[in-house]
Amino acid sequence: NNVSCVFVFLSSGQDIQGTSVVANLPVLMRQNPAETLRRVLPKIREVLHVAGVEMQLTAAVSFLTVLQEESVSIHTYSHSFLHIILQNLEHRDAGVSNAWLETLLAVIEALPKETVRHEILNPLVSKAQLSPSVQSRLVSCKIMGKVANKFEAHIIKREVLPLVKSLCQDVEYEVRTCMCRQLEHVARGIGTELTKTVVLPELVELARDEGSSVRLAAFETLVNLLDMFDADDRSQTVLPLVKSFCEKSFKADESILVSLSFHLGKLCNGLYGIFTPEQHLRFLEFYKKLSTLGLQQENGHNDNQLQLQTLEQEKKYISVRKNCAYNFPAMIVFVDPKNFHLELYSIFFCLCHDPEVPVRYTMAISFFEVAKLLNSDVYTIHKELVALLQDESLEVLDALVGHLPEILELMANRGENNGSESKLLSIPDLIPALTTAEQRAATSLKWRTHEKLLQKYACLPHIISSDQIYYRFLHRMLTIILTNNVLPVQKAAARTLCVYLRYNRKQEQRHEVIQKLIEQLGQGKSYWNRLRFLDTCEFIMELFSKSFFCKYFFLPVLELTHDPVANVRMKLCYLLPKVKSTLKIPTDKHLLQQLELCIRKLLCQEKDKDVLTIVKRTVLELDRMEISVDAFQKRFYENDLLDQEKERQEHLLLEMEQLEKEKQQTEKRSTNINDKIFEKKRRDSKASSVLAKSINLSVPGSSSGTSAGKEEKKSKLVRSQSFSTQALHPKYSNIDKCPNKSSATRYTSSVSGIGKSCMLSFSDDSFRTHSTGSSGNAAFLSSSSSHNLFNSADQKNNGNKESQSRRMSL
């Protein structure tokens, strides 16, 4: 029925209806290819003879779509569609002709060799080499370049090259230019030997052509074919042409400068092996001159050019400097990265501070490549990194942020300071620049840039310290989640916040952030904040271990089953399978009971029909789920390994924090003891000097008194040193560790309500951070091993119980 309706529309003679039918040709081919080929396609062929431009363009696109979708075999396609394409190829309208040509070139890629030879190449060669139509000869040039890769070299030499030579010598410069650009494809098809004997002489002749566009095409083709020429051809033929081209470029049209600046990096590295030191320096100076083209008047370097530049010239100069920025990594390779600071740093500085945004944008894109090439000398460009981060254009910032994690990692690991404690010394202004960049992105309307920036900032735990992240970035992420109105930005901030929390080194700070997430998001007044809390919990489950989520977030998530907003309850229902997957039996049996209780309440009390439907669907999914147990199981092998690794890293952070605290306490004790000793010495020396002045030196017994004072001070010093060493003895350093385990176990077992386990998790970890007092000692004494340890200590230090208790409390 559809095919019949289409046939009627085509027969009506209305261009609008016909165009609509032609646009829907791919759909008809998918639905009923046989009938479409039998009835619709012949009618389209008839209509296209008298069709307007719009229908012709639509038909070219539809034919190409049918080819790409492979609705029919390539044999059927060539039999049914190829003749229609060839008939409309030489349309009087250039736009229509180009549209059909693009379709034909795509078809040539898919057609077998024999079909291309009989249906396309042979008719093309048999035509008169100088067709009366310029458009027809232009089409022939492009077809020559396309078929050159389809056949063997001897076929191309016999059938294609004669026509190629004829088109290279065409009377119209447009045809010569077009054929010159196709010589690269022809050369790739015929190989190195024929390229040297046939293609290179044609390029040399075209490089001296009277038409500037022909010379430009010859130059670009020579650069692209450098890898096919040997050293002799490059030194004797290519290099003189390039030198002449560069010398005449400033006197010629600025468009030649644009092309030259774009290909200069490839050209310099392609001819690197044959350059003399003088030529090497000359090309480097030429690049430097192009990099500042159009800025001479501002910098006062050229007093002779006082005339005002036209707007068109200024645009071309900007394009030249932009191309120089694009080629900057290639020029680093050209001069060797070791010579970067001496040869290219000034140009790098100018390009990064160029007054035009496109130039700075290109430098921001290539900044990562530059950093990789500089390797250990990457610290030399940290000022430019800070400048681009603070650039007034958000486009520049967006381009730089794409590889920001890799750039910062290179700066941190390969810079001047490789120590982990002094990562930022090589980039002193990095943190202010990062915060400024985020604030500028937040105040703009380009939320995608802001989202991208927040996602990339997740790399900062590997770059800067945990405290710097906590005070400068972590709370900012929480503020964005609470105040921003763009959902992707909020989610990006939430995930980055979870990454910061994951790598935070201080338990007190972690507890503070967790509490804020629960209170300000999970228990927030706005339902929007509670929805974001569920998003954050998804990221928590992704980044943290199962035990961490169950300890802090499991019960706060379940509390949202009583939320007054249906959307929150609905989102929670979608999340419940992931929540259940974090449980381990029998450790989390009480949490499983809480989960089942909440689901039963939802089933019984839920009034919203949409939520109830999702609850029932979720219940079926939860019933099919298997819960992992504490013992290692093969079916959960990969997940268990990953979770164990996460849990191990979390425990490692706690141990590192404990070690840092013990180290700080040790340093503080030693500092206090040294201060006391120094103060004692100062007071004793001051008293002895006053006493020497007030008492006559001839008084008998003064020397003996002084020696007695020295002996007393010496004995005090020995006692203080022995006390400090005893206080730092390993036997007593374990006192801070043992009571925490026993007290935490005792505290956990004393709590009997499932609803209080969230408070328990906070109290448990906060309890561990405090120094142990008398309760800690009591807990320590309650264990049998500790009791035996103290019994042995009592036997060795008989009569010193009082001093021992003082050491314990310390």
Side-chain angles (χ1 to χ4, degrees):
N1 292 333
N2 291 338
V3 172
S4 300
C5 294
V6 166
F7 189 81
V8 171
F9 286 148
L10 285 174
S11 302
S12 65
Q14 298 292 328
D15 279 350
I16 297 177
Q17 293 177 344
T19 303
S20 177
V21 170
V22 172
N24 287 290
L25 180 63
V27 179
L28 295 173
M29 290 296 299
R30 288 195 298 268
Q31 293 176 350
N32 196 344
E35 282 296 308
T36 304
L37 291 175
R38 189 176 67 86
R39 299 183 63 187
V40 178
L41 196 60
K43 193 64 179 177
I44 291 177
R45 184 174 184 173
E46 294 177 8
V47 172
L48 284 177
H49 283 294
V50 292
V53 173
E54 185 176 358
M55 185 182 292
Q56 288 275 356
L57 295 175
T58 305
V61 174
S62 295
F63 280 30
L64 181 59
T65 305
V66 171
L67 174 71
Q68 293 170 344
E69 291 181 353
E70 299 180 355
S71 303
V72 293
S73 65
I74 191 64
H75 175 73
T76 304
Y77 187 91
S78 62
H79 178 73
S80 303
F81 290 87
L82 183 59
H83 292 289
I84 303 177
I85 296 172
L86 293 173
Q87 284 178 358
N88 295 278
L89 195 60
E90 297 182 5
H91 196 275
R92 60 183 178 276
D93 186 273
V96 173
S97 178
N98 288 330
W100 284 111
L101 178 61
E102 292 298 322
T103 302
L104 177 63
L105 296 179
V107 171
I108 291 174
E109 287 284 344
L111 290 176
K113 290 182 181 180
E114 290 304 317
T115 304
V116 174
R117 186 171 183 177
H118 291 295
E119 299 292 339
I120 299 174
L121 184 59
N122 289 344
L124 188 67
V125 174
S126 63
K127 288 182 180 180
Q129 294 184 355
L130 291 178
S131 175
S133 171
V134 174
Q135 181 65 28
S136 176
R137 300 203 297 274
L138 291 174
V139 169
S140 300
C141 292
K142 293 181 180 179
I143 294 176
M144 288 294 102
K146 198 67 176 180
V147 301
N149 294 323
K150 296 286 292 187
F151 301 103
E152 293 78 9
H154 66 277
I155 297 178
I156 299 174
K157 181 180 180 181
R158 185 177 67 250
E159 299 184 11
V160 175
L161 284 183
L163 184 57
V164 168
K165 290 182 179 180
S166 174
L167 292 171
C168 285
Q169 299 170 3
D170 195 273
V171 294
E172 297 291 338
Y173 76 93
E174 296 177 358
V175 178
R176 298 198 302 272
T177 302
C178 184
M179 194 62 246
C180 185
R181 294 191 182 280
Q182 299 302 318
L183 285 179
E184 179 184 354
H185 305 294
V186 174
R188 303 288 181 191
I190 62 178
T192 306
E193 293 298 326
L194 284 175
T195 298
K196 182 177 182 179
T197 57
V198 178
V199 176
L200 185 57
E202 292 292 336
L203 283 174
V204 172
E205 184 177 352
L206 290 170
R208 300 179 180 134
D209 195 274
E210 58 184 10
S212 61
S213 61
V214 180
R215 295 196 303 270
L216 181 61
F219 168 75
E220 293 177 352
T221 305
L222 276 171
V223 174
N224 293 331
L225 290 176
L226 277 176
D227 58 324
M228 296 193 68
F229 302 138
D230 55 24
D232 292 337
D233 290 333
R234 281 182 283 177
S235 60
Q236 298 174 8
T237 306
V238 179
L239 183 57
L241 285 174
V242 171
K243 287 172 60 178
S244 173
F245 197 85
C246 293
E247 291 170 358
K248 297 177 181 178
S249 59
F250 283 98
K251 301 176 183 179
D253 185 21
E254 287 82 359
S255 58
I256 298 179
L257 279 178
V258 174
S259 176
L260 181 58
S261 62
F262 181 77
H263 292 91
L264 191 59
K266 188 175 182 179
L267 181 65
C268 289
N269 286 280
L271 298 175
Y272 180 80
I274 63 172
F275 277 151
T276 63
E278 182 183 357
Q279 291 170 339
H280 187 282
L281 183 61
R282 183 179 299 174
F283 273 88
L284 180 60
E285 291 299 323
F286 183 70
Y287 172 76
K288 292 180 180 181
K289 188 175 181 180
L290 292 178
S291 300
T292 57
L293 187 66
L295 302 178
Q296 291 90 345
Q297 293 182 16
E298 298 178 11
N299 298 331
H301 292 168
N302 194 344
D303 295 331
N304 295 327
Q305 297 179 353
L306 298 178
Q307 68 274 18
L308 294 176
Q309 298 176 352
T310 64
L311 182 61
E312 192 66 27
Q313 282 179 323
E314 183 64 26
K315 288 181 179 180
K316 290 180 180 178
Y317 291 159
I318 293 172
S319 298
V320 169
R321 300 201 302 273
K322 178 183 175 182
N323 291 337
C324 289
Y326 167 77
N327 281 299
F328 195 86
M331 297 308 296
I332 292 179
V333 176
F334 181 64
V335 302
D336 197 305
K338 297 178 182 179
N339 302 323
F340 166 78
H341 196 273
L342 182 64
E343 298 288 354
L344 287 176
Y345 177 74
S346 59
I347 298 300
F348 182 75
F349 178 86
C350 291
L351 292 173
C352 287
H353 293 83
D354 195 275
E356 299 298 329
V357 171
V359 181
R360 303 197 304 274
Y361 175 85
T362 308
M363 287 304 297
I365 290 178
S366 61
F367 198 95
F368 175 53
E369 295 297 327
V370 174
K372 281 198 303 184
L373 289 171
L374 292 180
N375 203 349
S376 59
D377 294 331
V378 70
Y379 66 91
T380 57
I381 60 173
H382 71 269
K383 293 181 181 179
E384 285 68 36
L385 172 63
V386 172
L388 291 175
L389 280 171
Q390 296 175 327
D391 196 277
E392 60 184 9
S393 172
L394 279 178
E395 295 178 5
V396 176
L397 178 62
D398 186 81
L400 183 67
V401 165
H403 288 287
L404 185 63
E406 296 86 349
I407 294 170
L408 293 179
E409 187 176 356
L410 288 173
M411 291 282 183
N413 297 334
R414 300 180 181 176
E416 188 176 18
N417 302 284
N418 291 326
S420 59
E421 297 180 357
S422 58
K423 285 182 177 180
L424 277 180
L425 293 181
S426 59
I427 322 175
D429 300 326
L430 175 63
I431 293 179
L434 290 173
T435 54
T436 302
E438 189 278 320
Q439 290 169 0
R440 288 186 57 255
T443 55
S444 70
L445 297 177
K446 298 181 179 180
W447 62 265
R448 287 182 177 84
T449 300
H450 193 200
E451 177 195 11
K452 184 178 178 182
L453 195 71
L454 295 176
Q455 290 172 348
K456 299 299 182 180
Y457 276 15
C459 73
L460 292 182
H462 306 292
I463 310 299
I464 59 180
S465 67
S466 176
D467 282 339
Q468 289 166 328
I469 290 177
Y470 177 77
Y471 290 111
R472 302 299 295 271
F473 297 97
L474 196 148
H475 291 286
R476 173 61 182 165
M477 297 299 156
L478 184 59
T479 303
I480 293 172
I481 300 172
L482 291 169
T483 60
N484 199 281
N485 295 324
V486 182
L487 179 58
V489 173
Q490 287 181 309
K491 286 189 174 183
R495 194 183 192 285
T496 302
L497 171 66
C498 293
V499 173
Y500 292 166
L501 182 63
R502 174 72 176 79
Y503 292 101
N504 189 277
R505 300 281 294 273
K506 293 185 178 179
Q507 196 172 15
E508 183 180 353
Q509 294 176 356
R510 289 196 297 273
H511 286 169
E512 179 189 347
V513 175
I514 292 170
Q515 188 173 3
K516 286 184 176 180
L517 287 174
I518 294 173
E519 292 178 354
Q520 300 182 22
L521 288 180
Q523 301 170 0
K525 294 181 180 180
S526 171
Y527 84 96
W528 192 256
N529 289 341
R530 300 196 294 275
L531 288 173
R532 299 295 73 76
F533 176 71
L534 293 176
D535 291 332
T536 306
C537 287
E538 284 195 74
F539 297 134
I540 291 288
M541 286 186 279
E542 174 191 345
L543 296 170
F544 289 82
S545 64
K546 296 178 180 179
S547 59
F548 181 90
F549 177 80
C550 292
K551 185 177 183 180
Y552 296 112
F553 292 96
F554 193 93
L555 293 177
V557 167
L558 292 186
E559 288 177 4
L560 294 179
T561 55
H562 308 292
D563 196 275
V565 179
N567 283 349
V568 178
R569 301 195 302 273
M570 189 181 298
K571 188 175 182 66
L572 173 62
C573 291
Y574 284 119
L575 191 63
L576 284 179
K578 288 186 178 181
V579 172
K580 185 179 179 181
S581 66
T582 61
L583 296 176
K584 290 183 180 180
I585 300 300
T587 305
D588 302 323
K589 187 176 181 180
H590 63 291
L591 296 178
L592 179 60
Q593 293 172 352
Q594 287 292 106
L595 176 62
E596 293 172 351
L597 179 62
C598 291
I599 292 174
R600 282 196 295 269
K601 287 183 179 180
L602 281 172
L603 284 171
C604 298
Q605 301 175 5
E606 183 58 53
K607 297 179 181 180
D608 189 281
K609 291 187 296 183
D610 296 332
V611 178
L612 187 59
T613 303
I614 296 171
V615 170
K616 292 178 181 178
R617 191 186 310 160
T618 305
V619 168
L620 295 176
E621 186 176 352
L622 292 173
D623 289 340
R624 290 193 297 266
M625 285 183 61
E626 296 184 33
I627 303 178
S628 61
V629 297
D630 289 338
F632 197 80
Q633 293 176 293
K634 290 184 178 179
R635 54 184 171 179
F636 302 116
Y637 180 79
E638 294 182 359
N639 292 335
D640 285 347
L641 280 181
L642 183 61
D643 186 66
Q644 286 177 6
E645 178 62 21
K646 291 177 181 177
E647 195 166 350
R648 186 189 68 80
Q649 293 176 2
E650 291 163 8
H651 287 310
L652 183 62
L653 282 176
L654 292 174
E655 292 174 6
M656 291 172 63
E657 181 184 6
Q658 186 65 27
L659 290 174
E660 288 177 359
K661 285 183 178 180
E662 292 176 0
K663 181 180 178 182
Q664 291 174 1
Q665 290 176 1
T666 302
E667 293 175 352
K668 187 175 181 181
R669 289 171 189 166
S670 60
T671 303
N672 291 338
I673 292 172
N674 293 332
D675 290 343
K676 289 180 180 179
I677 294 172
F678 177 76
E679 183 65 23
K680 180 67 176 175
K681 287 182 178 180
R682 191 180 62 81
R683 287 200 305 266
D684 290 344
S685 61
K686 185 176 180 181
S688 61
S689 62
V690 172
L691 186 62
K693 291 180 181 179
S694 59
I695 302 177
N696 193 351
L697 295 176
S698 62
V699 176
S702 61
S703 60
S704 61
T706 304
S707 61
K710 290 181 179 179
E711 290 296 329
E712 184 180 0
K713 286 190 288 182
K714 185 176 181 181
S715 64
K716 288 181 179 180
L717 177 60
V718 170
R719 284 199 304 273
S720 65
Q721 290 175 348
S722 64
F723 177 77
S724 63
T725 54
Q726 288 175 359
L728 299 176
H729 196 275
K731 178 174 69 176
Y732 300 103
S733 64
N734 291 329
I735 295 177
D736 293 335
K737 299 178 181 178
C738 297
N740 286 333
K741 296 180 180 179
S742 59
S743 60
T745 305
R746 201 167 60 252
Y747 187 68
T748 305
S749 61
S750 64
V751 179
S752 62
I754 296 178
K756 296 181 180 179
S757 58
C758 184
M759 295 176 60
L760 162 63
S761 61
F762 289 115
S763 304
D764 184 15
D765 283 335
S766 61
F767 184 78
R768 294 180 188 174
T769 58
H770 295 111
S771 61
T772 59
S774 59
S775 62
N777 293 331
F780 183 82
L781 290 171
S782 64
S783 62
S784 60
S785 59
S786 304
H787 185 65
N788 294 333
L789 180 61
F790 266 79
N791 286 340
S792 61
D794 289 338
Q795 292 173 4
K796 293 180 181 179
N797 302 292
N798 192 15
N800 294 329
K801 294 181 179 180
E802 184 178 355
S803 61
Q804 191 177 24
S805 62
R806 287 200 302 270
R807 290 196 298 272
M808 285 170 53
S809 62
L810 180 62

